[in-house]
Amino acid sequence: MARRNIYQVGDPVLRQVSKPVTEFDDKLSQLIDDMIDTLIYADGAGLAAPQIGVPKRIFVATFDGGSTIIEAVNPVIVSAKGKRVAPEGCLSVPNTHEKVERPRHVVVHAFDRHGNPIVLKADNFPASCYCHEIDHLDGIIFTDKSIKPKKK
Ligand code: NI
């Protein structure tokens, strides 16, 4: 495992539409291990592959103080219900927290690193996190969607 550099807002890789993973090989496993290492070291909740400069459809996330680690390859939101507005931040956007409206409940279909299909069901914070990370795979940064205080 190796920590990778986290690309910051302004870098064009964060605005690319990432490509689906087609090879579930050792190289993919290495990449996911590096993403997890990078995420944990940075003390974040989620990290998408383009954030380390790799425009592939992969994200990792960690919840429950690090006891839960999620990895998702080629994730797709198949169900989204309810609404929740909560502040978000991003390892690629330093010192910024802004409120974003997300679905309260989501179901995500994805694959693990071996190519086995997985189903991720999430509510509240993890649901927002999955949506935030999947947005990264489409070149969307949370500040694009944030609810900015209205100026008088
Ligand atoms: Ni982010």
Side-chain angles (χ1 to χ4, degrees), residues 46 51 89-92 132-133 136 142:
Q51 292 182 273
C90 179
L91 294 174
S92 295
H132 175 123
E133 300 313 325
H136 274 302
F142 80 102

Side-chain angles (χ1 to χ4, degrees), residues 14 46-48 51 88-93 102 129 132-133 135-136 140-142:
L14 294 173
L47 182 78
Q51 292 182 273
E88 294 186 13
C90 179
L91 294 174
S92 295
V93 187
R102 303 283 190 187
C129 179
H132 175 123
E133 300 313 325
D135 272 353
H136 274 302
I140 298 165
I141 295 171
F142 80 102

